[in-house]
Amino acid sequence: MNCMKNYTDNENRRILKSRRSFIKNTAAASFAIASSDFLNMAGIVNSEGVKPEETAWYKRITRWGQTNITEKDPPGYDIEWWRKHWKNTGVDGVIINAGGIVAYYPSKIPLHKQAIYLAGRDLFGELCKAAHEDGITVFARMDSNRAHEEFYKAHPDWFAVDSEGKPYKAGELYITCVNSPYYNEHIPSILSEISKLYHPEGFTDNSWSGMGRESICYCRNCKESFFAKTGKDLPLKKNWDDDAYRKWIKWNYSRRIEIWELNNQTTKKAGGTSCIWSGMNSGSVSGQARSFRDLNEICSRADIIMLDSQARSDAGGFQQNADTGKLIHGLLGWDKLIPESMAMYQAGRPTFRLSAKPATEARMWMIEGMAGGIQPWWHYVSASHEDRRIYKTAGTIFDWHRKNEKYLINRTPVATIGVVWSQLNTDFYGRDESEVMTELPWRGITQALIRSRLPYVPVHADHIDRDSENLSLLILPCLGVMTDKQADDVRKFVKSGGAVIATGESSLYNEWGDRRSDFALADIFGAHLSDGNNADLRKLSVETYHTYLRLTPELRANYDGPKTNISPNPGKVRHQVLKGFDETDIISFGGMLSPLKTDKGTETLMTFIPQFPIYPPETAWMREPVTDIPGLIINNLPGNGIVIYLTADIDRQFGRYNLPDHGNLLANLVRWASKDNIPLSVESPGLIDCNIYRQPENLILHLVNLTSAGTWRQPVDEYIPVGPVKIRIRIPEGVTTRKVSLMVSEKEIPFKNDIGWISFTIPTLTDHELAVIS
């Protein structure tokens, strides 16, 4: 708490006043944006007063198409058919294969190998010309991290090699080194050639970041560059505790940013200031980490993010797409665009490149992306298909998007809950187990929010101070790695009257993943490591254990089961966060906990029950039914600040097993900590993802029905309608609602005003609905 004393009394009063004012009326604060910002966001004018038709193309093009050309396609590529398909699906931008591994035009760059069946045809040039004649923007697609044997033999020093000097390969292709002239000279020369010959509006690149972190390149270029930057030799092996390996990770991240900047300098010099290079990026933070692509740094430089995230995982579900959109917009800004490659073929589990994905599966992925602020981009592999169903999937959704795009862009989210993340945490806390250590907790907490219809926004840990102004609650889901600055920003938020829920080992590790002597946030957690507590929960978290959590106080006054040796507590009342658990004194856990010391004034509402045998059943009895190891601690701080420290990683367990008790507990904690300061209430059966946005004259509610037989197992082949869906939305003070329009059902519906809230009912929700409150 000492750091809090650094604030002056005046600053304390100012911050408290600001926070309390916001909590009093979140919706009003949500609309407190300058009119010039609104005009900019709405596309009426930009910050320089420029009208939409003069706005840069990368802020205007909202529907994309891509036919990923195979080497066999050029002889029979039917350009006229594809021009009709562009028109029928309403795309205003296309991604066309240009060069890299192979060229689809007659390149004069040495060793820029032409596609095997190109036979001198200028396919890229023909397609680029056709698109421009049709008024369609062109992104020239590159694929630039591999080359054929002929190239390798000509320049073996341009390729990545292992510690024995053997080249890394992917199938028959050789993997190029990011520190070699291949990236510094060869690729820029191709970008310049294409720009000058064909004038595409921009470039995108499928595999621009080179070899991932699973392999270390020991070529001369890497050895010299790494030593020049760090004064160290390349690490001999993966070792997260080795200083050289840690610096190798950081050095690789920096190199990818250098490539990003070099390619943009190249394309803008050759094609003009609006000819941008935008790579491609993954929708997975773990995937970005494995590829050394820093989302935060990239978004700070990007004009547009081309997102390569083509299908859902069973674990993440469709909702993963909306979550990705919000997470990236939180870095990029909501005034920029995030087109996403959406596979029309059977991508995911399993993958069949030439078979049509079930239309219901493909469309739901697209819908959830739109709900998170992503723009649609149909994607085929090959220019001709025997499974002709593939061509009918995108049209319906693209047509709906065209009619309603003004409500799907240039908007900002309305939410009072922020879920904090960082790629640094993925790297140095998650390390080689990021799926378990960081992805599962994130998935668990966000899924708990979605199933309870609680709108949230992702908040990068470096942006807590910037982005928390309109938030009443921050959630740190197993945010094990935190910098001192990030921890200070959390303290500042709490001191201003905000609430925090932290789980697992949040703040226990520094930016390199080294364990601190105590939590960086121990003062506001009201909890500290016990002497001798050296348990490495990072290793223990990989497994599941037969452990439980005891709810306190125990409620045995109304207990009508067999007698036990544990004493009842007649007349005791439990805390509100344990609402709904009146008929049990335990819940399943699955993780491990270590002893902690708690500060005076804190409340411990759950304690740990150590594991005991499951089998044989005769041995399945608690050896130690009661301990003082805390699983849930509540700390009420001066200034109305609330901190809930859920030492038990229930978020990780819910992400892993989807047990309702875990989801209900997490939702209880969120509602209580935010003092029910939630701008939305939705009552309906089923699983519905709810996202609210604001525009100058509209509130926009996008509901996506995730209820189906394929909710957790792809693909889904049938939508299951739910309803009625009863909705209440908080309305800013002084704002009058004129009408409520449903943009999927294409009708207006009646509504009621009720002291700062508006309520209405959607009779049936099939796949999605977009409600516009004007």
Side-chain angles (χ1 to χ4, degrees):
M1 301 289 283
N2 290 338
C3 67
M4 294 185 180
K5 296 178 182 178
N6 294 331
Y7 295 103
T8 65
D9 291 339
N10 288 337
E11 177 68 0
N12 286 343
R13 284 192 290 269
R14 183 192 68 77
I15 295 173
L16 284 170
K17 182 178 179 180
S18 172
R19 177 72 59 190
R20 289 167 179 163
S21 173
F22 167 75
I23 291 177
K24 181 178 180 180
N25 196 336
T26 301
S30 297
F31 275 71
I33 297 181
S35 59
S36 61
D37 290 338
F38 269 141
L39 293 173
N40 182 7
M41 193 169 294
I44 299 170
V45 298
N46 66 16
S47 57
E48 286 77 36
V50 180
K51 294 180 180 180
E53 59 269 21
E54 299 170 356
T55 301
W57 65 267
Y58 42 77
K59 287 195 173 185
R60 291 186 284 105
I61 306 304
T62 57
R63 285 174 300 283
W64 292 84
Q66 178 188 3
T67 305
N68 210 324
I69 306 171
T70 71
E71 288 197 71
K72 193 176 181 180
D73 285 333
Y77 200 111
D78 189 344
I79 292 179
E80 289 307 310
W81 188 93
W82 282 103
R83 291 178 81 164
K84 292 177 183 177
H85 193 62
W86 296 344
K87 182 178 180 180
N88 292 339
T89 55
V91 299
D92 38 26
V94 289
I95 295 94
I96 304 173
N97 297 61
I101 297 175
V102 294
Y104 287 94
Y105 69 100
S107 174
K108 295 182 180 179
I109 305 297
L111 298 171
H112 192 200
K113 180 183 175 71
Q114 292 191 15
I116 190 169
Y117 291 102
L118 191 64
R121 184 179 183 182
D122 188 358
L123 183 57
F124 174 78
E126 293 174 34
L127 284 165
C128 192
K129 180 182 178 182
H132 284 158
E133 287 177 350
D134 294 345
I136 293 175
T137 293
V138 173
F139 246 136
R141 178 190 179 274
M142 302 284 292
D143 202 332
S144 58
N145 77 329
R146 300 170 189 177
H148 292 83
E149 186 175 18
E150 177 187 7
F151 200 141
Y152 169 72
K153 288 181 176 179
H155 295 286
D157 54 327
W158 291 15
F159 291 79
V161 298
D162 63 20
S163 58
E164 297 179 355
K166 296 178 181 178
Y168 287 105
K169 295 182 68 176
E172 296 180 353
L173 300 177
Y174 292 76
I175 300 175
T176 54
C177 174
V178 294
N179 289 291
S180 75
Y182 179 89
Y183 279 84
N184 294 331
E185 300 169 13
H186 181 69
I187 293 301
S189 68
I190 295 174
L191 297 175
S192 296
E193 181 181 57
I194 293 171
S195 293
K196 293 173 182 177
L197 287 174
Y198 306 108
H199 310 292
E201 280 72 10
F203 290 80
T204 186
D205 194 321
N206 190 53
S207 303
W208 64 275
S209 57
M211 196 162 61
R213 77 177 189 202
E214 298 307 312
S215 304
I216 300 173
C217 175
Y218 293 93
C219 77
R220 178 176 56 82
N221 302 300
C222 285
K223 289 179 178 179
E224 292 177 356
S225 175
F226 186 69
F227 188 83
K229 292 287 179 67
T230 68
K232 291 181 176 292
D233 292 330
L234 288 165
L236 298 177
K237 61 181 180 180
K238 179 189 299 182
N239 179 358
W240 290 93
D241 296 320
D242 174 33
D243 184 55
Y245 185 77
R246 293 171 172 181
K247 290 183 176 178
W248 178 80
I249 294 286
K250 294 284 190 178
W251 170 73
N252 271 289
Y253 270 118
S254 296
R255 177 56 185 154
R256 271 59 179 187
I257 295 301
E258 290 172 0
I259 291 171
W260 184 282
E261 293 177 341
L262 172 62
N263 288 343
N264 269 284
Q265 291 167 7
T266 301
T267 57
K268 290 178 181 181
K269 180 178 179 180
T273 55
S274 66
C275 185
I276 62 171
W277 180 95
S278 66
M280 282 192 195
N281 286 280
S282 168
S284 162
V285 177
S286 290
Q288 289 288 103
R290 288 191 296 270
S291 301
F292 301 117
R293 297 183 297 216
D294 188 325
L295 265 176
N296 192 20
E297 290 296 323
I298 288 171
C299 287
S300 71
R301 292 163 170 79
D303 296 300
I304 186 173
I305 288 293
M306 301 300 284
L307 189 61
D308 188 8
S309 186
Q310 300 186 24
R312 65 169 169 146
S313 66
D314 287 338
F318 292 113
Q319 55 269 42
Q320 168 190 345
N321 214 17
D323 181 75
T324 295
K326 292 185 291 185
L327 184 146
I328 295 177
H329 271 302
L331 303 176
L332 185 68
W334 286 88
D335 60 334
K336 296 181 181 180
L337 301 177
I338 310 174
E340 177 184 69
S341 176
M342 299 166 168
M344 301 297 100
Y345 62 87
Q346 178 53 49
R349 186 192 59 82
T351 295
F352 293 100
R353 291 282 202 181
L354 303 182
S355 292
K357 180 185 292 188
T360 44
E361 174 80 15
R363 289 170 183 163
M364 183 57 72
W365 183 248
M366 300 164 85
I367 288 167
E368 264 289 31
M370 295 176 197
I374 286 173
Q375 288 68 58
W377 156 9
W378 51 250
H379 180 208
Y380 309 113
V381 173
S382 181
S384 62
H385 296 86
E386 295 179 80
D387 189 345
R388 294 173 296 281
R389 296 171 298 177
I390 201 169
Y391 301 127
K392 297 182 179 180
T393 301
T396 303
I397 292 297
F398 270 59
D399 185 56
W400 181 85
H401 183 275
R402 178 184 57 79
K403 293 176 181 177
N404 296 285
E405 70 170 274
K406 64 182 178 180
Y407 303 119
L408 300 171
I409 60 174
N410 297 319
R411 59 188 189 177
T412 54
V414 176
T416 56
I417 301 165
V419 186
V420 183
W421 70 280
S422 80
Q423 201 161 324
L424 189 70
N425 188 52
T426 300
D427 279 321
F428 289 100
Y429 182 60
R431 297 187 172 185
D432 297 320
E433 297 290 348
S434 61
E435 168 64 20
V436 172
M437 302 308 300
T438 60
E439 295 285 341
L440 277 178
W442 179 270
R443 196 178 299 144
I445 194 63
T446 54
Q447 176 60 19
L449 295 171
I450 290 168
R451 74 192 287 270
S452 300
R453 293 83 184 256
L454 299 170
Y456 71 93
V457 288
V459 176
H460 192 281
D462 285 344
H463 302 158
I464 289 172
D465 193 43
R466 184 193 75 181
D467 293 346
S468 63
E469 180 181 357
N470 289 341
L471 301 177
S472 58
L473 171 65
L474 288 176
I475 303 174
L476 316 181
C478 292
L479 200 70
V481 162
M482 294 185 70
T483 67
D484 291 341
K485 172 65 166 57
Q486 292 166 357
D488 287 342
D489 287 343
V490 172
R491 285 192 189 87
K492 180 180 177 182
F493 178 78
V494 173
K495 188 168 182 61
S496 69
V500 167
I501 298 174
T503 71
E505 294 186 300
S506 288
S507 83
L508 186 55
Y509 299 86
N510 68 14
E511 58 265 38
W512 293 108
D514 291 331
R515 182 178 164 121
R516 292 181 167 106
S517 59
D518 202 356
F519 303 100
L521 294 172
D523 52 343
I524 63 171
F525 286 174
H528 309 266
L529 292 182
S530 298
D531 296 337
N533 181 355
N534 296 315
D536 189 349
L537 293 184
R538 286 192 292 196
K539 293 181 179 179
L540 296 174
S541 296
V542 176
E543 303 295 334
T544 301
Y545 306 90
H546 189 219
T547 58
Y548 295 77
L549 295 168
R550 182 166 299 284
L551 313 183
T552 60
E554 292 156 313
L555 302 180
R556 295 183 174 272
N558 300 320
Y559 181 71
D560 57 3
K563 292 182 179 180
T564 70
N565 294 324
I566 301 175
S567 301
N569 285 300
K572 294 288 186 178
V573 178
R574 281 194 182 141
H575 196 285
Q576 289 174 272
V577 300
L578 298 179
K579 180 181 178 181
F581 295 97
D582 295 346
E583 295 187 10
T584 182
D585 289 328
I586 61 170
I587 62 170
S588 54
F589 176 28
M592 296 291 282
L593 290 177
S594 298
L596 297 175
K597 296 181 293 186
T598 57
D599 291 340
K600 184 178 180 181
T602 60
E603 291 183 83
T604 297
L605 302 184
M606 297 193 306
T607 55
F608 179 60
I609 300 174
Q611 66 174 335
F612 53 93
I614 291 178
Y615 186 86
E618 291 82 358
T619 67
W621 51 275
M622 296 178 185
R623 306 303 196 266
E624 194 175 358
V626 178
T627 72
D628 60 358
I629 300 174
L632 172 61
I633 301 166
I634 291 184
N635 193 17
N636 291 287
L637 296 168
N640 291 327
I642 296 172
V643 177
I644 297 176
Y645 180 32
L646 186 60
T647 66
D649 57 353
I650 292 295
D651 47 357
R652 179 179 288 118
Q653 304 307 325
F654 187 53
R656 178 181 271 150
Y657 296 120
N658 202 35
L659 293 177
D661 277 355
H662 293 167
N664 293 337
L665 175 62
L666 291 169
N668 284 355
L669 294 173
V670 168
R671 291 188 184 280
W672 182 81
S674 38
K675 302 175 183 176
D676 282 326
N677 181 33
I678 311 295
L680 175 70
S681 171
V682 177
E683 295 181 14
S684 172
L687 179 62
I688 305 174
D689 191 8
C690 308
N691 288 282
I692 317 177
Y693 297 93
R694 63 174 181 260
Q695 288 179 331
E697 296 184 356
N698 301 313
L699 276 177
I700 299 163
L701 174 64
H702 206 157
L703 303 176
V704 181
N705 179 18
L706 302 172
T707 311
S708 76
T711 298
W712 300 114
R713 185 183 181 208
Q714 58 181 308
V716 61
D717 63 354
E718 178 187 12
Y719 299 140
I720 299 177
V722 299
V725 185
K726 299 178 181 179
I727 298 162
R728 293 182 75 238
I729 300 177
R730 186 182 295 166
I731 299 297
E733 186 176 340
V735 173
T736 301
T737 301
R738 297 197 313 270
K739 63 180 179 178
V740 176
S741 304
L742 303 184
M743 310 314 293
V744 176
S745 302
E746 297 183 330
K747 64 181 180 181
E748 292 184 18
I749 58 172
F751 62 90
K752 293 181 180 179
N753 283 304
D754 182 19
I755 314 178
W757 293 76
I758 180 176
S759 60
F760 54 91
T761 298
I762 299 175
T764 303
L765 180 63
T766 301
D767 50 357
H768 72 131
E769 187 59 83
L770 189 75
V772 178
I773 299 98
S774 302

